[in-house]
């Protein structure tokens, strides 16, 4: 009997009518495995995963395959987005076996949950053979499988710190070491298409965010140019949805051309923040366009009625990857009419299609300025006619069958989007961005933070699955961001409250890092620590940066000490392997420079703050009050001038420079690396 019908997860519900007798992860399935002495199949995926759909269609909907699975195994389906802790454990297991990870992830376990074999996508014939072989081995060579599982179990139990030779060290920071790390990244630059020289290409916001900050603080124009060039190429590529806004997860090539079409909330939150910063730094309208269009996509396609944001949109519609987003030439020809010639040039459209199956992906390779000049138009006139035509194309596209929507709300991913929306508001001043961010913050507080527990998932009026470090870290960061909107102390105090919960529930005093899962909440085979920045920065690196900021706001030496010790332990790896440690590198940079503690007190304080925030400066925390007696220690003993007009205090390690009255004077007191 398939048990998934009672699930909330859209991914599990996709499998609820398979002939496989799936269970969700839980005691019932684990106990049955022990009672009947059957091995376990754990199959992990997510609703927007193309190859997960393929394997379901080929194998899990196939009666003959299901018969083998049901006869010999206890079968558990897991939505990796709901249970990233289990995904971490079993992905680690696969890699320990010397196999490549990915999704779908299929792992075979002994009844004690220790893994002994696995893999990713298997074609049906191969999957059936594997099932038979494992069933036979379990019956005839049980001891060998148990021994193998014991070995992998021991390996899983090793701490990440031991595995990567990380030990507690004092943070020993130097400009030269950081410069060496940046050079390692520069050696991998793709000078033709932007980004790093690799295929497939993931946007990796943490890398470009770090390099943007470094370039600004070092006053390195050449590096800044490459960051801006990269972000432009991403925004012009097929990875970006030119009609509605929003970014796909990655491109399968090195030109940002053909995406894997799913859109994830976590990518879009981080890229929204990064593109808003790029607009602040460069003033180039292409970044403003992408920010505004992505907010429109968020509002029209990802906004849940209570103010939460949905998790993801699928790559497939009508069983075909990218069908919703691609165009047959004749279709565009009919809609564009006399505008076809210039539209064809803009998006590299071909009669026979520019992608597979004779379809076109909208793909821009020339700047608007050059295209407008070639047509003898101003950029404004060019964009005006383009936007009218895009609206027509979108109207036609909206009549198509939409890709699947993963309509659960994940607290951590919503946190990443809040930070993006706040930066968008600071950069562009759009009220919609501000309101979406504030409403989302209120949604998280009202619906997903109950009785001192933050929850990971929300759907159909119900919060479920206690949050992981990723969620706490990203929501804390979001609340620090929300404080920047109107300096409402509620948000910064909530950030501190959540931080204290994390310190109590997730902190491992033996090595100074945080567990990904709360070891007190559920007993798992291994308690993992997430240290490497990936498409989402490592939860430990986000947490270390939160502790630094909150340590400065609240003059909390414990927070600062934990953050600095984490940085010290990671310091050597940051320098030797920067590619997957760029959020840590950002912490390194902001500790080295160091980060300014800025307080503005007096009449018109918020006006001065808005003026300061309008430009993007990478290394400060900001607190503002029009009154005296605020609760935040950073504001204590900061006073207005004798007429009550606002003064700006730029401080370092609780020692302040001379208070000044203008933003320019304050910025002149900020340190740089130059």
């Amino acid at each position: 009997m398939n048990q998934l019908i009672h699930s909330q997860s859209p991914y599990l519900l996709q499998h609820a009518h398979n002939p496989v007798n799936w269970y969700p992860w839980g005691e019932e399935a684990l106990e049955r495995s022990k009672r009947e002495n059957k091995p376990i199949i754990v199959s992990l995926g997510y609703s927007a995963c193309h190859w997960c759909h393929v394997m379901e269609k080929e194998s899990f909907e196939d009666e003959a395959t299901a018969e083998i699975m049901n006869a010999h195994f206890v079968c558990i389906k897991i939505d990796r987005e709901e249970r990233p802790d289990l995904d971490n454990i079993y992905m680690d297991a696969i890699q320990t076996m010397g196999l490549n990870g990915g999704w779908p992830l299929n792992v075979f376990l002994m009844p004690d949950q220790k893994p002994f074999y696995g893999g990713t996508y298997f074609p049906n014939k191969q999957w059936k053979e594997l099932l038979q072989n494992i069933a036979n081995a379990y019956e005839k060579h049980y001891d060998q499988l148990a021994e193998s599982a014991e070995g992998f179990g021991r390996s899983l139990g090793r701490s990440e710190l031991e595995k990567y030779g990380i030990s507690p060290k004092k943070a020993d920071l130097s400009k030269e070491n950081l410069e060496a790390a940046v050079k390692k990244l520069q050696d991998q630059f793709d000078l033709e298409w932007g980004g790093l020289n690799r295929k497939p290409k993931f946007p990796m916001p943490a890398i470009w965010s770090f390099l943007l900050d470094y370039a600004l603080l070092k006053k390195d124009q050449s590096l800044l140019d490459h960051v801006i060039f990269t972000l432009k190429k991403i925004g012009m590529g097929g990875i970006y949805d030119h009609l509605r806004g929003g970014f796909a997860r990655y491109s399968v090539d090195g030109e940002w051309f053909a995406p894997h079409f799913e859109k994830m909330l976590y990518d879009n939150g981080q890229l929204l923040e990064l593109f808003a910063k790029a607009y602040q730094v460069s003033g180039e309208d292409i970044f403003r366009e992408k920010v505004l269009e992505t907010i429109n996509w968020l509002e029209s396609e990802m906004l849940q009625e209570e103010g939460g944001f949905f998790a993801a949109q699928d790559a497939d519609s009508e069983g075909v990857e990218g069908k919703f987003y691609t165009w047959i030439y004749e279709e565009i020809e009919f809609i564009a009419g006399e505008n076809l010639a210039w539209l064809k040039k803009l998006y590299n459209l071909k009669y026979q299609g520019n992608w597979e199956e004779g379809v076109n992906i909208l793909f821009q390779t020339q700047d608007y300025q050059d295209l407008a000049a070639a047509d003898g138009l101003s950029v404004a006139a060019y964009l005006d006619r383009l936007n009218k035509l895009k609206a027509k194309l979108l109207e036609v596209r909206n009549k198509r069958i939409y890709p699947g929507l993963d309509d659960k709300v994940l607290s951590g991913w919503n946190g990443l989007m809040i930070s993006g929306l706040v930066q968008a508001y600071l950069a562009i001043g759009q009220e919609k961005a501000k309101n979406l961010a504030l409403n989302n913050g209120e949604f998280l507080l009202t619906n997903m933070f109950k009785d001192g527990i933050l929850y990971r998932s929300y759907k159909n009026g119900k919060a479920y699955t206690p949050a992981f470090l990723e969620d706490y870290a990203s929501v804390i960061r979001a609340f620090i961001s929300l404080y920047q909107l109107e300096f409402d102390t509620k948000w910064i105090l909530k950030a501190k409250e959540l931080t204290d919960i994390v310190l109590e529930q997730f902190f491992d005093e033996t090595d100074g890092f945080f567990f990904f899962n709360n070891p007190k909440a559920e007993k798992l085979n291994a308690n993992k620590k997430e240290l490497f920045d990936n498409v989402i920065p490592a939860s430990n690196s986000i947490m270390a940066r939160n502790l630094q900021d909150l340590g400065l706001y609240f003059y909390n030496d414990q927070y600062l000490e934990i953050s600095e010790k984490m940085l010290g332990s990671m310091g050597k790896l940051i320098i030797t392997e920067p590619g997957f440690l760029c959020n840590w590198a950002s912490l390194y940079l902001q500790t080295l420079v160091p980060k300014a503690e800025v307080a503005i007190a007096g009449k018109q304080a918020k006006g001065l703050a808005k003026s300061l925030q309008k430009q993007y400066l990478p290394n400060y925390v900001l607190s503002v009050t029009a009154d005296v007696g605020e609760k935040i220690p950073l504001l204590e003993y900061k006073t207005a001038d004798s007429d009550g007009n606002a003064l700006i205090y730029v401080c370092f390690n609780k020692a302040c420079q001379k208070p000044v009255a203008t933003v320019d004077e304050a910025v002149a007191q900020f340190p740089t690396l130059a």
Side-chain angles (χ1 to χ4, degrees), residues 481-542:
S481 297
L482 285 173
Y483 174 68
Q484 305 304 310
L485 287 174
E486 293 294 339
F487 303 98
D488 177 350
T489 50
K490 169 175 105 173
W491 296 112
I492 201 83
L493 293 172
K494 280 290 172 195
K496 184 177 186 303
E497 183 184 342
L498 288 170
T499 298
D500 291 336
I501 292 168
V502 171
L503 282 165
E504 186 200 333
Q505 302 281 330
F506 292 80
F507 190 55
D508 184 354
E509 291 192 8
T510 59
D511 59 31
F513 286 84
F514 295 90
F515 290 110
F516 185 84
N517 55 299
N518 179 351
K520 300 170 186 177
E522 180 183 354
K523 181 148 179 52
L524 299 175
N525 252 2
N527 297 314
K528 310 299 282 179
K529 296 191 176 97
E530 187 182 49
L531 301 178
F532 290 91
D533 300 318
N534 208 311
V535 290
I536 298 177
S539 42
N540 266 290
S541 70
I542 302 175

Side-chain angles (χ1 to χ4, degrees), residues 555 628 633-639 649:
Y555 289 161
V628 182
L634 180 53
L635 287 166
E636 286 174 4
Y637 312 115
K638 312 294 193 298
T639 57
Y649 294 78

Side-chain angles (χ1 to χ4, degrees), residues 159-385:
S159 83
E160 287 78 6
L161 284 87
E162 181 192 343
K163 200 184 294 184
Y164 298 106
I166 297 166
S167 54
K169 288 187 182 73
K170 193 173 184 306
D172 181 20
L173 310 179
S174 82
K175 287 184 185 182
E176 294 72 26
N177 281 344
L178 195 57
E179 200 168 326
V182 170
K183 175 74 169 62
K184 282 187 177 165
L185 293 169
Q186 286 176 307
D187 289 344
Q188 301 173 59
F189 282 176
D190 180 340
L191 300 177
E192 185 181 1
W193 290 101
L196 301 181
N197 212 341
R198 56 177 65 152
K199 300 174 191 178
K201 266 193 169 149
F202 287 79
M204 301 300 285
I207 293 178
W208 306 107
S209 184
F210 161 62
L211 290 173
L212 177 69
D213 289 359
Y214 182 85
L216 291 170
L217 290 167
K218 191 87 187 328
K219 303 197 187 317
D220 183 337
Q221 191 60 45
S222 164
L223 179 58
L224 183 60
D225 288 346
H226 186 75
V227 174
I228 296 297
F229 174 67
T230 289
L231 298 181
K232 261 196 206 169
K233 284 293 184 189
I234 293 171
M236 291 162 69
I239 192 173
Y240 180 74
D241 181 352
H242 290 270
L243 301 184
R244 169 51 88 198
F247 298 84
R249 201 160 74 90
Y250 67 95
S251 72
V252 298
D253 49 74
E255 291 87 51
W256 309 108
F257 166 58
H260 218 25
F261 287 89
E262 68 263 50
K263 289 181 184 172
M264 316 301 289
L265 191 72
Y266 61 77
D267 286 317
N268 282 281
Q270 293 176 87
L271 288 167
L272 186 62
E273 181 173 354
L274 191 48
F275 274 64
K277 289 175 182 176
Y279 176 64
Q280 288 173 286
V281 169
S282 71
E284 294 196 38
D285 278 332
I286 184 171
F287 298 118
R288 187 173 189 276
E289 174 187 75
K290 304 311 174 199
V291 165
L292 292 173
E293 287 178 347
T294 298
I295 292 169
N296 286 342
W297 162 74
L298 182 73
E299 183 185 44
S300 48
E301 297 188 9
M302 301 299 281
L303 182 60
Q304 181 254 28
E305 66 275 7
E306 296 162 279
F309 300 123
F310 299 131
Q313 281 177 329
D314 210 328
D316 303 6
S317 54
E318 301 177 74
V320 179
E321 187 187 6
K323 183 167 185 180
F324 183 75
Y325 299 100
T326 53
W327 297 83
I328 297 163
Y329 189 84
E330 289 88 346
E331 205 177 3
I332 287 188
E333 189 176 32
F334 178 75
I335 299 163
E338 63 189 21
N339 293 301
L340 181 67
W342 64 264
L343 190 73
K344 180 178 168 182
K345 189 176 171 190
L346 168 64
Y347 288 134
N348 290 280
L349 307 172
K350 293 190 170 72
Y351 179 73
Q352 70 276 21
N354 63 16
W355 192 44
E356 54 199 37
E357 305 295 329
V359 299
N360 285 280
I361 294 171
L362 303 185
F363 179 55
Q364 183 182 347
T365 49
Q366 293 183 67
D367 284 349
Y368 290 138
Q369 286 83 348
D370 296 340
L371 291 160
D375 285 1
L377 293 171
S378 69
V379 174
Y382 186 92
L383 288 173
D384 185 52
R385 74 176 185 181

Side-chain angles (χ1 to χ4, degrees), residues 392-525:
K392 281 187 187 174
L393 289 165
L394 183 62
E395 194 180 335
V396 171
R397 196 180 86 175
N398 284 343
K399 291 174 181 158
R400 297 175 181 173
I401 294 171
Y402 270 73
L405 176 70
D406 188 329
D407 60 352
K408 65 179 178 291
V409 177
L410 297 173
S411 55
W413 295 10
N414 277 247
L416 293 171
M417 182 51 82
I418 287 174
S419 297
L421 287 165
V422 169
Q423 196 68 41
Y425 172 71
L426 297 180
I428 292 167
Q430 189 201 42
E431 288 296 314
K432 185 198 289 184
K434 177 179 170 180
N435 293 334
L436 284 168
L438 284 168
N439 292 342
N440 192 242
E442 294 292 352
F443 168 85
L444 292 176
L445 278 183
T446 305
N447 296 291
M448 300 189 75
F449 184 48
K450 307 247 182 207
D451 303 321
I453 298 170
L454 182 68
Y455 286 87
R456 166 84 174 168
S457 307
Y458 180 90
K459 197 180 163 195
N460 296 330
K462 185 182 172 201
Y464 58 101
T465 310
F468 304 101
L469 184 64
E470 173 188 295
D471 304 299
Y472 277 99
S474 297
V475 170
I476 290 164
R477 179 165 177 259
F479 287 176
I480 295 170
S481 297
L482 285 173
Y483 174 68
Q484 305 304 310
L485 287 174
E486 293 294 339
F487 303 98
D488 177 350
T489 50
K490 169 175 105 173
W491 296 112
I492 201 83
L493 293 172
K494 280 290 172 195
K496 184 177 186 303
E497 183 184 342
L498 288 170
T499 298
D500 291 336
I501 292 168
V502 171
L503 282 165
E504 186 200 333
Q505 302 281 330
F506 292 80
F507 190 55
D508 184 354
E509 291 192 8
T510 59
D511 59 31
F513 286 84
F514 295 90
F515 290 110
F516 185 84
N517 55 299
N518 179 351
K520 300 170 186 177
E522 180 183 354
K523 181 148 179 52
L524 299 175
N525 252 2

Side-chain angles (χ1 to χ4, degrees), residues 68-195:
I68 305 169
M69 291 172 71
N70 296 337
H72 300 289
F73 301 91
V74 173
C75 305
I76 297 178
K77 232 337 153 187
I78 298 174
D79 180 343
R80 69 170 293 261
E81 294 171 353
E82 285 191 344
R83 292 302 302 262
D85 56 333
L86 296 170
D87 185 59
N88 287 346
I89 290 171
Y90 294 118
M91 187 63 76
D92 195 14
I94 287 289
Q95 287 162 347
T96 302
M97 293 169 193
L99 301 165
N100 289 327
W103 298 278
L105 183 65
N106 295 291
V107 189
F108 294 87
L109 319 180
M110 301 300 280
D112 62 2
Q113 300 172 43
K114 287 177 181 156
F116 61 86
Y117 191 68
T120 53
Y121 164 75
F122 293 92
N124 181 255
K125 183 170 179 289
Q126 199 181 334
W127 179 244
K128 280 194 289 202
E129 285 170 5
L130 179 64
L131 293 171
Q132 293 284 16
N133 290 342
I134 287 179
N136 290 338
Y138 193 82
E139 188 183 335
K140 294 172 185 166
H141 306 287
Y142 179 89
D143 290 347
Q144 285 170 259
L145 286 186
E147 192 181 332
S148 173
E150 199 57 43
F152 290 129
R154 277 195 302 276
S155 180
L156 280 179
R158 275 179 76 202
S159 83
E160 287 78 6
L161 284 87
E162 181 192 343
K163 200 184 294 184
Y164 298 106
I166 297 166
S167 54
K169 288 187 182 73
K170 193 173 184 306
D172 181 20
L173 310 179
S174 82
K175 287 184 185 182
E176 294 72 26
N177 281 344
L178 195 57
E179 200 168 326
V182 170
K183 175 74 169 62
K184 282 187 177 165
L185 293 169
Q186 286 176 307
D187 289 344
Q188 301 173 59
F189 282 176
D190 180 340
L191 300 177
E192 185 181 1
W193 290 101

